[in-house]
């Protein structure tokens, strides 16, 4: 799937949860959102993207994606 | 005048705990205080003659036919305008009264044509009935004097005629236009004998302010205002009560029938959603159901460049099934999916998601709510615990403050708008948050206290600034929050929202709304009494759609405006069954009843009843399906009743995705834009041709009843069941009631729902179960569904879609009264007389800068694409913002919209697209291609000559 689009969608999710003052909660919230709403093939691709460096992802999202492995 | 099977009490019902006992014609009767003598008489089994009275309208007292005698009172008071009093003794039949009534009738008939035998109201005329009741035997005044018998007929409206020669000037039509509809388009022009009903400034109806809701036609006691269908076909011989297939109000109608032909649709007085009212779509625009464009035979083809081949149902369904199985064998279990539609019944959508989950073996099912109210589902579930509006429509009559955000009720939900306007005329205050000056900002006898004319895309900034005022000015209902909400989350939210960056003064730089207006509106909302919020797609179709829904829930909880009548958070659903299609498990992550597919306990219940193992991972959403198709991992799609090629954003991306499918099965009543990319066409049935239920915006489940046989031979649910059987997963339902029984067995909020129960109660608002056996008009009364209400921090994040020098204007989109969404239905009716093309609305300043005049062809270009439409210059727009509707495929409104979407749900950001507008002299490249493609596809139809016509 179009990885640029997936990155944009993931960062949009991160932008919402970054308002959470507790960083750990924010990371878990992003990870849970991806787990609950993204089809496995989308998650697989974003995990692969992070494995490749994940340059365009927000730090918060990168952390969250690592939890999906 | 209509074939009303229910009793007409003559005056509206009064509700009071105080009862009054009186005697009418010797019969003792006990009624609510405030009841008219006329209505009380009905309870006593007495029908007082009447002409100007009907129980949908307040008493008027003009016809002088309902005179009665009351012991101890002088004269002959009108029973409609006289209220009951304790111990009152009324006589409705005396020689004097009979004489007076005959005299009155003589006067009426002396100026009324005696063409009863050829009159369209023959057999259904209150004047004719009353002549019989009063025993009229002669007209002493003759017909030689001055009269109106040669008054000219107005046939300008496509659906009804106005024949002033038959008018008795009872003012029922004028009052219906005022009281029921709230448009005030009709009046009595002239005085005395010259008095005549007039539309606007004595104009033909089509040129007047009339919105063709039909309330006047329904109220007319004669043939003065009469449906043209009745004039053509005669009176109906029976009627069937069913539910409208247009917007989310879900009006109840009686389809008046002659055999299997619909003569007319009459709004059902007993209908709890519409209370006897209707709009131009529901009442009149049903002709599409028998339009020549209907496709009545299944068709298949290998490639979209091949001609369609008509085949039997069996061949079409077996071909579709074998294709889906072939694709799954080649590309994997997750390579196929389905899309349900909010235009279809609960039972149909339930079956499709069941087919996808049980027969396809994955969760790749989604619904068109993806592109409208999916953020409502997410936002309200997160904050309140249930993905649904909190109130019934009646609740608005208890509101003191009504806030309308991103909705245009007079166009999108006209019947509910009329209720709302009625309450506003009674004194409720109105706050509107909308980039456009919608009609409700200022309409007869209604004016918004505040119009917060924000810039598109800044909703969250606005709601945060309203919340800031509520919190920092001490307007929070602390007791409610402490008792009902999660106080830890509230504290977090309170700290966030109190920050000065969320103040109206700071947010004004973003929203463009003057801070003092925001402060005034916030104070009114928080302190004005019962305050209710009604919102539409102007809230949800944004990159922060879900955030905004949660922002709305935040202020409702903070002010205690939730959990009782008159308040609440109320999404106005775009289509008839948006709520229902979501309830039925149409989303790829949720089983029916909004339970996540990963929940083992829930899945086990379904697995036991369905007899298959279910996938515990979420499937693809509609935009993900497009991306997966382009990627090559998604190859087969079953779509029922949805037209994604027209309705979804970034058209060229959508059509590119559709071209990548190896098998697309479209089930629809017309060859819609999507079907032009299909390989199998399964002819659908209109709402008139099937049984089922719709669930409207207030969670009201209403029956859809078959009034005519399916034109293609099958109801839609039968087709889905046949496809499932062909796929090897058995579905053996004999009637949709059995599907509802299965839904009830598996869905906690539906356990008390059955067809028998709906028939008994007229309709049911879910949750309907042991705790609420007759349904739930208002939710979250004692506690929130999730337990404690959850405040959510709603940081404003600007959309990525920004204006630049190249794209300096913001385009936003919406609907118009006479057309409905993709227009497949309404474009095939006379509603085109009101709106036959999509126009670009532009502010005079922006138009002048570009040398654009009214009706000029203008190019509209965005980062996604470009199209051409005609300009309409209007001050309804604010400078810098342009607007269009999206009802006509050739307009290409969604060629321009982008693939930006809501962060939580992927609901497209239809409401914010940066564009440039300029004068042009020819259609866009896309439009030229669209025309060629459409012509080619129509040529590929077996009966292409008919379809082209």
């Amino acid at each position: 799937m179009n990885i640029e689009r997936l990155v944009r969608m993931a960062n949009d999710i991160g932008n919402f949860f970054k308002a959470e003052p507790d960083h750990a909660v924010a990371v878990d919230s992003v990870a849970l959102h991806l787990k609950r709403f993204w089809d496995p093939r989308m998650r697989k691709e974003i995990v692969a993207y992070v494995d490749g460096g994940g340059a365009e992802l927000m730090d918060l999202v990168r952390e969250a994606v690592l939890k999906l492995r | 005048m209509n074939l009303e099977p229910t009793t007409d009490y003559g005056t509206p019902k009064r509700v009071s705990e105080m009862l009054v006992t009186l005697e009418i014609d010797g019969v003792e009767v006990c009624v609510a205080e405030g009841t008219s003598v006329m209505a009380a008489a009905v309870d006593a089994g007495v029908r007082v003659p009447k002409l100007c009275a009907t129980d949908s309208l307040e008493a008027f007292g003009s016809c002088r036919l309902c005179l009665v005698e009351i012991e101890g009172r002088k004269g002959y008071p009108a029973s409609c305008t006289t209220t009951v009093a304790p111990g009152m003794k009324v006589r409705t039949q005396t020689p004097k009264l009979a004489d007076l009534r005959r005299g009155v009738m003589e006067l009426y008939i002396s100026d009324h044509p005696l063409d009863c035998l050829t009159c369209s109201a023959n057999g259904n005329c209150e004047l004719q009935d009353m002549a019989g009741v009063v025993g009229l035997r002669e007209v002493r005044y003759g017909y030689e004097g001055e009269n109106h018998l040669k008054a000219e007929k107005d046939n300008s409206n496509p659906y009804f005629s106005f024949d002033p020669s038959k008018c008795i000037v009872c003012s029922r039509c004028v009052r219906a236009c005022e009281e029921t509809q709230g448009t005030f388009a009709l009046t009595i022009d002239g005085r005395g004998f010259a008095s005549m009903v007039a539309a606007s400034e004595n104009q033909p109806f089509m040129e007047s302010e009339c919105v063709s809701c039909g309330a006047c036609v329904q109220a007319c006691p004669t043939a003065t205002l009469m449906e043209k269908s009745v004039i053509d076909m005669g009176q109906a011989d029976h009627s069937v009560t069913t539910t409208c297939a247009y917007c989310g109000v879900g009006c109840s109608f009686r389809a008046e029938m002659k055999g299997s032909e619909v003569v007319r649709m009459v709004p059902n007085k007993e209908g709890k959603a519409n209370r006897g009212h209707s709009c131009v779509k529901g009442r009149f625009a049903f002709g599409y159901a028998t339009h020549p464009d209907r496709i009545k035979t299944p068709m298949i083809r290998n490639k979209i460049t091949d001609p369609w081949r008509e085949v039997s149902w069996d061949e079409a369904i077996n071909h579709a099934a074998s294709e889906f199985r072939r694709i799954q064998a080649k590309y994997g279990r997750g390579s196929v999916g389905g899309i349900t539609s909010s235009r279809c019944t609960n039972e149909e959508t339930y079956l499709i998601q069941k087919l996808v989950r049980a027969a396809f073996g994955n969760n790749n099912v989604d619904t068109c709510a993806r592109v409208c109210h999916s953020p409502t589902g997410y936002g309200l579930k997160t904050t309140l615990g249930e993905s649904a509006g909190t109130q019934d429509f009646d609740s608005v009559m208890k509101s003191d403050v009504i806030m309308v955000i991103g909705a245009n009720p007079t166009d999108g939900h006209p019947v509910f708008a009329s209720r709302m306007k009625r309450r506003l005329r009674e004194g409720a205050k109105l706050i509107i948050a909308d980039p456009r000056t919608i009609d409700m900002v200022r309409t007869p006898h209604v004016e918004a206290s505040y119009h917060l004319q924000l810039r598109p895309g800044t909703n969250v900034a606005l709601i945060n600034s309203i919340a800031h005022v509520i919190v920092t000015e001490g307007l929070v209902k602390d007791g409610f929050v402490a008792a009902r909400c999660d106080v830890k989350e509230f504290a977090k939210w309170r700290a966030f929202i109190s920050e000065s960056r969320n103040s109206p003064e700071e947010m004004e730089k973003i929203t463009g709304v003057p801070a003092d207006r925001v402060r005034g509106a916030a104070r009114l909302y928080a302190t004005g009494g019962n305050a209710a919020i009604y919102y539409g797609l102007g809230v949800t179709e944004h990159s922060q759609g879900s955030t905004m829904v949660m922002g709305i829930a935040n202020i409702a909880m903070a002010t205690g405006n939730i959990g009782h009548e008159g308040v609440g958070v109320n999404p106005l659903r775009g289509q008839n069954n948006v709520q229902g299609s979501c309830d039925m498990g149409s989303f790829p992550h949720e089983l029916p009843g909004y339970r996540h597919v990963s929940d083992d306990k829930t899945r086990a219940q379904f697995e036991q009843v369905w007899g298959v193992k279910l996938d515990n991972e979420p499937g693809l959403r509609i935009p993900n399906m497009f991306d997966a198709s382009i990627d090559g991992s998604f190859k087969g799609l079953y779509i029922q009743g949805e037209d994604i090629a027209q309705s979804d954003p970034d058209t060229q991306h959508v059509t590119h995705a559709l071209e990548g499918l190896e098998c697309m099965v479209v089930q629809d009543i017309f060859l819609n834009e999507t079907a032009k990319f299909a390989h199998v066409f399964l002819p659908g049935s209109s709402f008139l041709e099937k049984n089922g239920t719709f669930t409207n915006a207030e969670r009201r489940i209403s029956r859809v009843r078959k009034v005519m046989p399916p034109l293609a031979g099958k109801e839609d649910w039968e087709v889905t069941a046949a496809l499932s059987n062909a796929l090897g997963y058995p579905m053996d339902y004999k009637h949709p009631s059995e599907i509802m029984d299965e839904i009830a067995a598996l869905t906690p909020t539906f356990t008390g729902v059955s067809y028998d129960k709906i028939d008994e109660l007229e309709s049911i608002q879910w949750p309907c179960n042991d705790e609420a056996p007759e349904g739930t008009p208002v939710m979250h009364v004692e506690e929130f569904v999730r337990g404690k209400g959850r405040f959510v921090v709603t940081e404003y994040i600007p959309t990525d879609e920004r204006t630049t020098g190249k794209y300096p204007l913001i385009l936003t989109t919406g609907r118009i009264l006479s057309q409905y969404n993709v227009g497949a239905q309404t474009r095939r009716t006379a509603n085109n007389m009101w709106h036959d093309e999509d126009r670009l609305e532009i502010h005079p300043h922006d138009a002048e800068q570009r040398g654009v005049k009214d009706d000029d062809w203008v190019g509209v270009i965005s980062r996604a694409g470009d199209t051409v439409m005609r300009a309409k210059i209007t001050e309804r727009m604010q400078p810098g913002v342009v607007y269009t509707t999206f009802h006509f495929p050739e307009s290409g409104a969604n060629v321009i919209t982008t693939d930006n979407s809501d962060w939580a749900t992927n609901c497209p950001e239809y409401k914010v697209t940066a564009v440039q507008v300029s004068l042009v002299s020819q259609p866009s490249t896309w439009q030229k291609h669209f025309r060629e493609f459409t012509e080619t596809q129509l040529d590929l139809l077996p009966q292409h000559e008919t379809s082209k016509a």
Side-chain angles (χ1 to χ4, degrees):
Chain A
M1 294 182 57
N2 184 330
I3 192 63
E4 285 177 17
R5 188 169 160 81
L6 292 178
V7 167
R8 185 150 55 103
M9 285 163 54
N11 281 340
D12 286 346
I13 295 165
N15 268 322
F16 175 78
F17 286 109
K18 78 178 181 191
E20 167 59 49
D22 185 329
H23 182 70
V25 172
V27 172
D28 286 346
S29 298
V30 174
L32 185 64
H33 192 92
L34 293 171
K35 174 87 178 133
R36 286 178 71 82
F37 295 101
W38 280 30
D39 175 272
R41 79 192 79 174
M42 296 161 66
R43 299 204 307 264
K44 192 174 161 192
E45 294 207 23
I46 202 78
V47 167
Y49 179 73
V50 168
D51 287 343
E56 298 299 319
L57 280 176
M58 295 166 60
D59 291 344
L60 168 64
V61 177
R62 209 177 303 116
E63 278 185 69
V65 172
L66 288 173
K67 287 182 170 253
L68 298 178
R69 279 172 158 168
Chain B
M1 178 64 191
N2 61 84
L3 273 173
E4 182 65 72
T6 54
T7 304
D8 184 350
Y9 280 74
T11 58
K13 185 177 181 174
R14 300 293 183 226
V15 178
S16 173
E17 290 178 2
M18 301 293 292
L19 297 178
V20 173
T21 302
L22 69 159
E23 190 181 295
I24 300 175
D25 292 342
V27 177
E28 190 174 281
V29 62
C30 187
V31 296
E33 190 178 51
T35 300
S36 70
V37 168
M38 176 182 279
V42 175
D43 276 351
V46 176
R47 299 294 179 97
V48 182
K50 63 181 180 61
L51 278 173
C52 74
T54 187
D55 58 13
S56 61
L57 302 171
E58 292 297 329
F60 195 55
S62 78
C63 77
R64 313 314 292 168
L65 211 59
C66 71
L67 309 180
V68 293
E69 293 178 12
I70 299 175
E71 193 174 286
R73 294 197 190 182
K74 288 183 181 171
Y76 307 94
S79 61
C80 62
T81 53
T82 305
T83 51
V84 296
M88 185 181 260
K89 292 193 173 172
V90 180
R91 288 196 296 170
T92 70
Q93 303 294 341
T94 68
K96 182 63 184 173
L97 288 171
D99 195 39
L100 286 170
R101 287 172 186 153
R102 267 196 300 273
V104 168
M105 280 303 296
E106 275 189 90
L107 287 166
Y108 279 123
I109 300 301
S110 70
D111 191 13
H112 191 86
L114 294 179
D115 61 351
C116 291
L117 288 180
T118 54
C119 177
S120 57
N122 189 17
N124 193 11
C125 172
E126 290 184 45
L127 187 67
Q128 196 178 48
D129 293 346
M130 288 305 111
V133 166
V134 305
L136 185 73
R137 298 292 175 261
E138 62 175 344
V139 177
R140 289 168 291 168
Y141 309 106
Y143 297 92
E144 304 308 316
E146 198 175 350
N147 60 50
H148 301 90
L149 300 181
K150 290 202 165 85
E152 199 177 335
K153 207 168 173 179
D154 175 3
N155 272 316
S156 61
N157 186 290
Y159 296 120
F160 62 84
S161 66
F162 172 58
D163 183 353
S165 74
K166 296 186 171 176
C167 181
I168 59 171
V169 202
C170 64
S171 294
R172 273 164 63 162
C173 55
V174 177
R175 289 182 286 140
C177 192
E178 294 175 3
E179 296 176 29
T180 308
Q181 167 57 25
T183 293
F184 294 78
L186 302 182
T187 189
I188 299 293
D189 186 52
R191 292 178 175 219
F193 187 76
S195 300
M196 286 185 73
V197 170
S200 292
E201 294 173 17
N202 228 337
Q203 295 163 288
F205 270 74
M206 274 304 278
E207 293 171 25
S208 75
E209 294 151 305
C210 167
V211 294
S212 199
C213 69
C216 57
V217 179
Q218 189 168 354
C220 181
T222 69
T224 306
L225 285 155
M226 179 59 82
E227 293 95 338
K228 289 181 175 175
S229 57
V230 175
I231 294 171
D232 290 344
M233 299 169 71
Q235 296 291 334
D237 53 40
H238 70 282
S239 72
V240 180
T241 301
T242 190
T243 304
C244 180
Y246 283 117
C247 79
V249 177
C251 295
S252 175
F253 277 89
R254 283 183 300 101
E256 291 196 350
M257 308 294 300
K258 201 167 210 172
S260 60
E261 274 190 285
V262 179
V263 176
R264 63 179 171 184
M265 299 291 282
V266 180
N268 178 18
K269 198 167 82 176
E270 308 301 319
K272 290 172 184 165
N274 55 320
R275 303 287 181 195
H277 191 32
S278 64
C279 78
V280 63
K281 294 189 287 287
R283 183 175 182 109
F284 295 120
F286 55 85
Y288 71 86
T290 50
H291 193 277
D293 283 353
R294 283 287 299 270
I295 294 180
K296 302 169 195 166
T297 309
M299 304 184 297
I300 62 174
R301 60 182 175 179
N302 290 325
K303 302 192 298 292
I304 67 166
T305 49
D306 290 346
W308 284 103
R309 188 163 62 86
E310 289 185 334
V311 295
S312 68
W313 275 107
D314 281 348
E315 185 176 350
I317 283 168
N318 288 331
H319 175 74
S322 71
E323 277 295 280
F324 283 132
R325 286 305 186 214
R326 177 188 67 77
I327 289 168
Q328 285 190 297
K330 185 174 177 184
Y331 299 100
R333 186 163 52 98
S335 60
V336 299
I339 296 178
T340 75
S341 174
S342 300
R343 290 191 282 185
C344 296
T345 66
N346 285 319
E347 293 74 8
E348 289 156 4
T349 51
Y350 176 86
L351 280 203
I352 288 190
Q353 61 87 33
K354 181 176 177 179
L355 179 147
V356 170
R357 299 187 204 283
F360 286 170
N362 62 47
N363 287 315
N364 293 333
V365 62
D366 207 356
T367 184
C368 56
R370 174 66 52 212
V371 300
C372 68
H373 265 291
S374 51
T376 288
Y378 180 89
L380 296 186
K381 177 99 173 170
T382 303
T383 49
L384 311 180
E386 192 59 272
S387 302
T390 62
Q391 310 296 119
D392 61 357
F393 287 145
D394 284 348
S395 168
V396 78
M397 298 311 288
K398 300 276 177 66
S399 296
D400 302 306
V401 179
I402 297 169
M403 188 187 287
V404 177
I405 310 176
N408 187 7
T410 53
D411 283 41
H413 306 86
V415 170
F416 179 65
S418 292
R419 298 286 297 284
M420 205 181 256
K421 288 193 287 185
R422 180 187 285 242
R423 181 60 184 161
L424 293 165
R425 290 197 304 273
E426 290 175 354
K429 303 290 185 194
L430 177 63
I431 301 166
I432 290 176
D434 201 292
R436 298 169 71 222
T437 306
I438 59 171
D439 283 352
M440 283 193 67
V441 171
R442 193 163 191 274
T443 191
H445 301 279
V446 169
E447 183 158 16
S449 300
Y450 296 96
H451 176 204
L452 310 177
Q453 195 167 14
L454 72 170
R455 294 184 185 118
T458 65
N459 283 337
V460 173
L462 180 70
I463 205 76
N464 282 352
S465 60
I466 290 172
H468 177 89
V469 176
I470 291 167
V471 168
T472 57
E473 294 191 9
L475 306 179
V476 171
K477 286 255 171 56
D478 292 321
F480 180 89
V481 171
R484 299 284 307 272
C485 302
D486 181 327
V487 290
K488 193 175 154 200
E489 296 294 336
F490 173 71
K492 197 190 290 180
W493 175 75
R494 180 178 203 130
F496 156 76
I497 212 72
S498 303
E499 292 175 35
S500 60
R501 65 194 173 95
N502 285 319
S503 70
E505 289 72 20
E506 286 300 313
M507 286 301 187
E508 179 178 341
K509 298 165 194 164
I510 295 165
T511 63
V513 182
D516 61 335
R517 253 185 248 176
V518 175
R519 286 193 177 274
R523 289 168 193 148
L524 177 59
Y525 175 76
T527 65
N530 286 339
I533 296 175
Y534 293 87
Y535 71 88
L537 305 186
V539 160
T540 55
E541 290 176 344
H542 286 275
S543 61
Q544 282 202 287
S546 293
T547 314
M548 180 60 181
V549 172
M550 293 187 282
I552 288 171
N554 285 341
I555 66 166
M557 290 188 290
T559 55
N561 277 310
I562 207 146
H564 56 95
E565 282 188 306
V567 299
V569 177
N570 305 283
L572 294 172
R573 308 290 191 158
Q575 301 201 89
N576 49 318
N577 203 33
V578 174
Q579 182 69 57
S581 68
C582 299
D583 300 341
M584 293 298 105
S586 293
F587 287 137
H589 65 285
E590 284 173 336
L591 289 158
Y594 302 101
R595 289 161 297 163
H596 200 272
V597 291
S598 64
D599 181 58
D600 292 340
K601 195 175 159 195
T602 301
R603 227 175 38 258
Q605 291 169 347
F606 282 87
E607 285 172 346
Q608 188 183 13
V609 174
W610 291 357
V612 289
K613 190 83 179 154
L614 297 176
D615 191 352
N616 65 352
E617 288 281 7
L620 295 167
R621 302 159 166 177
I622 292 173
N624 310 146
M625 291 179 191
F626 297 152
D627 291 344
S629 170
I630 290 167
D631 177 51
S633 66
F634 190 75
K635 291 289 184 181
L637 184 57
Y638 171 35
I639 304 179
Q640 185 185 70
E642 189 54 22
D643 192 0
I644 49 179
Q646 189 184 338
S647 64
D648 284 39
D650 197 356
T651 304
Q652 291 171 99
H653 177 72
V654 174
T655 53
H656 180 38
L658 298 185
E659 284 164 351
L661 297 172
E662 292 187 7
C663 179
M664 179 160 65
V665 177
V666 169
Q667 186 175 339
D668 205 288
I669 58 176
F670 298 114
L671 189 85
N672 62 21
E673 300 312 309
T674 307
K676 291 169 187 165
F677 295 87
H679 307 87
V680 178
F681 186 91
L682 303 174
S685 47
S686 77
F687 78 113
L688 297 168
E689 301 156 45
K690 59 193 176 189
N691 284 300
T693 56
F694 290 149
T695 306
N696 75 354
E698 46 169 4
R699 296 170 279 104
R700 185 180 302 285
I701 309 161
S702 300
R703 275 298 314 275
V704 177
R705 293 184 177 89
K706 183 158 74 173
V707 304
M708 60 172 70
L711 300 193
K714 285 185 189 293
E715 299 182 37
D716 285 311
W717 64 271
E718 294 176 295
V719 178
T720 305
L723 179 60
S724 186
N725 288 326
L727 283 162
Y729 180 76
M731 286 190 187
D732 184 28
Y733 304 101
K734 302 287 185 294
H735 189 270
S737 62
E738 295 176 4
I739 304 171
M740 179 54 80
D741 291 342
E742 183 175 311
I743 294 164
L746 286 167
T747 312
T749 46
F750 275 66
T751 49
V753 179
S754 68
Y755 277 29
D756 286 345
K757 179 70 94 47
I758 299 171
D759 288 346
E760 180 191 334
L761 299 177
E762 188 273 329
S763 57
I764 301 171
Q765 286 179 271
W766 67 260
C768 175
N769 45 31
D770 288 346
E771 290 78 45
E774 297 203 346
T776 310
V778 177
M779 294 191 76
H780 315 294
V781 174
E782 298 295 333
E783 65 171 359
F784 289 101
V785 171
R786 72 180 304 280
K788 296 286 186 185
R790 181 182 171 199
F791 284 83
V792 174
V793 172
T794 52
E795 186 78 64
Y796 168 65
I797 311 283
T799 171
D800 292 339
E801 185 69 6
R802 311 281 171 87
T803 53
T804 59
K806 193 174 177 188
Y807 305 109
L809 302 171
I810 289 289
L811 170 78
T812 186
T813 61
R815 299 204 306 220
I816 201 163
L817 171 65
S818 55
Q819 296 287 354
Y820 179 67
N821 283 14
V822 294
Q825 294 144 286
T826 46
R827 279 188 280 111
R828 290 178 170 94
T829 70
N831 279 26
N832 283 353
M833 287 178 68
W834 284 275
H835 186 83
D836 61 359
E837 64 178 308
D838 296 317
R839 298 277 191 120
L840 186 81
E841 293 189 16
I842 184 168
H843 187 272
H845 174 73
D846 292 325
E848 190 181 353
Q849 273 191 332
R850 291 163 176 77
V852 172
K853 299 187 294 296
D854 248 340
D855 296 337
D856 278 347
W857 290 101
V858 290
V860 189
I861 184 166
S862 74
R863 294 178 181 96
D866 66 306
T867 193
V868 170
M869 53 183 69
R870 286 199 290 165
K872 180 180 177 184
I873 299 172
T874 170
E875 292 192 349
R876 285 162 67 102
M877 305 310 302
Q878 54 178 291
V881 181
V882 292
Y883 168 89
T884 186
T885 51
F886 48 80
H887 304 302
F888 293 81
E890 62 270 24
S891 304
N894 280 321
V895 174
I896 316 166
T897 52
T898 70
D899 64 355
N900 291 342
S901 66
D902 172 47
W903 67 269
T905 64
N906 277 153
C907 179
E909 189 184 36
Y910 287 108
K911 301 298 185 185
V912 185
T913 307
V915 297
Q916 177 58 294
V917 173
S918 57
L919 279 169
V920 295
S921 56
Q922 59 177 330
S924 72
T925 305
W926 177 85
Q927 282 169 313
K928 288 176 189 167
H929 172 75
F930 171 82
R931 283 175 197 169
E932 286 166 15
F933 180 69
T934 300
E935 281 176 22
T936 304
Q937 287 299 316
L938 292 180
D939 281 341
L940 297 175
L941 279 173
Q943 309 90 356
H944 60 95
E945 291 305 322
T946 306
S947 300
K948 277 180 173 175

